[in-house]
């Protein structure tokens, strides 16, 4: 997976120190099936995800990532989940804190295929056949299933 140029430029200045980035996850539905891809870097099955570019609207980033990674056109229907992911430390020592914005999306056109090398397999799968998808992604899918539920989030509540 290619690291965006703006991240490389920031890394030149801050080294491996923690970097806060906004990411999107697109939960795409088509005919009662959900879009899943097998990542080229670690072999895990998950929804399409990526980093929001500077100045880019997060929903537009989700649409862009679906086209870049899976070769499909989608529309964003709603925000399903806002969450801070646990800090990621990559093999080279880079640390990243991702704010993940999860969007429910609908398929518009295109046949899914590994479009840019980030995925080795991609397609629409029955919700009942998600045995190889980790719990965190199953949760994202579950929260995105309802068409009109409000977005879910953690924190920000008054502690009693």
């Amino acid at each position: 997976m290619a690291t965006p140029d703006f991240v490389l430029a920031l890394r030149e200045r801050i080294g491996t120190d923690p970097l806060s980035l906004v990411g999107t996850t697109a939960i795409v539905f088509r005919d009662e099936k959900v879009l899943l891809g097998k990542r080229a870097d670690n072999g895990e099955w998950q929804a399409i995800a990526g980093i929001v570019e500077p100045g880019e609207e997060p929903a537009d980033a989700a649409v862009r990532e679906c086209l870049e990674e899976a070769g499909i056109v989608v529309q964003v229907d709603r925000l399903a989940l806002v969450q801070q992911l646990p800090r990621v430390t990559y093999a080279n020592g880079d640390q990243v804190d991702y704010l993940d914005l999860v969007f429910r999306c609908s398929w518009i056109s295109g046949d899914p295929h590994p479009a840019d090398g980030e995925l080795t397999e991609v397609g629409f799968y029955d919700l009942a056949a998600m045995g190889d998808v980790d719990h965190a992604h199953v949760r994202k899918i579950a929260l995105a299933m309802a068409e009109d539920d409000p977005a879910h989030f953690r924190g920000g509540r008054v502690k009693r």
Side-chain angles (χ1 to χ4, degrees):
M1 292 180 206
T3 303
D5 290 339
F6 81 94
V7 173
L8 295 175
L10 287 169
R11 285 287 172 212
E12 287 180 13
R13 294 180 178 192
I14 67 167
T16 61
D17 287 349
L19 177 61
S20 293
L21 294 173
V22 176
T24 64
T25 300
I27 308 297
V28 182
F29 292 99
R30 177 183 180 190
D31 301 328
E32 305 297 319
K33 294 183 178 184
V34 65
L35 183 72
L36 297 171
K38 187 173 185 179
R39 291 174 51 124
D41 61 347
N42 63 16
E44 293 182 11
W45 285 92
Q46 66 179 51
I48 303 299
I51 297 171
V52 178
E53 298 282 340
E56 184 178 36
E57 289 289 340
D60 293 340
V63 170
R64 174 182 53 76
E65 291 289 345
C66 287
L67 185 60
E68 287 178 0
E69 293 183 16
I72 65 167
V73 176
V74 304
Q75 75 175 19
V76 171
D77 300 323
R78 71 175 184 85
L79 180 65
L81 173 65
V82 177
Q83 65 180 347
Q84 181 66 45
L85 299 177
R87 178 167 290 160
V88 176
T89 301
Y90 292 98
N92 67 356
D94 288 353
Q95 300 172 71
V96 181
D97 295 322
Y98 289 104
L99 177 66
D100 185 29
L101 305 177
V102 180
F103 293 98
R104 177 196 169 94
C105 302
S106 298
W107 172 85
I108 299 295
S109 65
D111 293 320
H113 62 279
D116 69 356
E118 291 190 36
L119 304 172
T120 58
E121 299 176 50
V122 63
F124 286 97
Y125 296 90
D126 289 322
L127 296 173
M130 295 192 307
D132 291 338
V133 179
D134 71 48
H135 176 72
H137 282 278
V138 171
R139 179 175 181 266
K140 292 177 187 184
I141 293 165
L143 291 173
M145 285 179 66
E147 294 183 20
D148 57 0
D149 275 358
H152 295 262
F153 61 94
R154 292 187 179 138
R157 296 181 178 98
V158 176
K159 295 185 182 195
R160 298 173 195 249

